[in-house]
Amino acid sequence: MEKTLIQLIKAAASKLHDSKLKGLEGKEMVLLLELLKENIGLDNRNEAIIFTAMFDRSCSGKNSGIEDLASYFNCTQLDIMEYLPSLKSLQKKGYILQTNLNECRIVRHNYMVTNYVINCILENNRPEYRKIHLLDKEFDKYDFCKLVNSQIHDGDVTAELLFQFVESLEDDNREMQIVKDLRTIIPDIQSRTMFYEICYDFFYHDGYGRSSLSNILSEMYEVFGYQFRERKLFLEGTHPLIQADLVEILGDYDDIILTDTGKHLFLEMTIEYLENSFWS
């Protein structure tokens, strides 16, 4: 008798739990993983291994991070790091979602299988790829800038961690128009990070928001020397964002606003349309 999806996962989980990720090449284990891969719509056996553990924990209402998965398999966190590509692939396809988006350190990311995928498996149906993404909220440029803002304002995030996070966020959203355009115009991650923050201030204050240069620099850099260097570039008019005509600094030398060029890059809309509708 053919096994249901939940029966396949239970069988695989019984062998994977506390396995130290050993004995995965046995005939029965290989067959189970191949069946899971084919019936759930996964790309390879590594995804089936990680998904099984994630599903097992998600059914108990538990998030799963690197440490949790290592505990599940009774292996080291270094062992789990080899499966990070599979974890990222599952997330990209919409089978799992990250539950702590504000966390910039990859080793502290937590994930959970989506309710849609859990329900499909419990009903013995293969998840439909298109529906997975239709049911998820699209991560857009406003979410992107809001996430950058949350990291800038997190007192535990150093400048180095901040720029690593933003670069990783850009890589994950490389097809987003603002990311593609800004990477073409501005080569350094520090200036791009600042632009995303200025866009956040602009949009979330109804298009009237001004950014404080002093506040942004003090929140981005814990070392005063870097704050002074960046301020000097702005006052001299040689900062990459100034030279690219994306932002301008106002008369008091502290307030920064987006130029028309910067607004176009951020909003991908004409200024005439914005003036007639967005701020009317």
Side-chain angles (χ1 to χ4, degrees), residues 28-42:
E28 186 178 356
M29 188 74 251
V30 169
L31 177 60
L32 274 173
L33 294 176
E34 285 295 326
L35 286 171
L36 282 174
K37 184 190 82 170
E38 294 299 324
N39 287 286
I40 298 178
L42 306 177

Side-chain angles (χ1 to χ4, degrees), residues 227-279:
Q227 298 178 33
F228 180 80
R229 180 200 65 189
E230 292 290 301
R231 174 178 286 278
K232 184 171 182 288
L233 291 176
F234 270 104
L235 298 183
E236 291 175 344
T238 57
H239 193 278
L241 294 179
I242 297 285
Q243 293 191 321
D245 190 32
L246 295 178
V247 305
E248 61 179 310
I249 189 164
L250 300 183
D252 58 5
Y253 298 109
D254 193 64
D255 283 354
I256 301 177
I257 61 171
L258 292 176
T259 62
D260 285 353
T261 303
K263 293 173 188 176
H264 278 299
L265 191 149
F266 174 44
L267 295 168
E268 304 164 44
M269 304 163 75
T270 65
I271 297 303
E272 291 79 10
Y273 174 82
L274 290 172
E275 289 174 345
N276 293 331
S277 59
F278 189 74
W279 295 307

Side-chain angles (χ1 to χ4, degrees), residues 155-170:
D156 294 328
V157 176
T158 64
E160 183 177 4
L161 279 174
L162 170 65
F163 300 136
Q164 287 177 2
F165 173 82
V166 176
E167 203 154 35
S168 176
L169 190 63
E170 286 182 331

Side-chain angles (χ1 to χ4, degrees), residues 210-224:
R210 295 183 177 187
S211 300
S212 166
L213 178 60
S214 298
N215 289 345
I216 291 179
L217 293 178
S218 65
E219 288 162 353
M220 283 179 59
Y221 298 98
E222 65 271 15
V223 177
F224 181 75

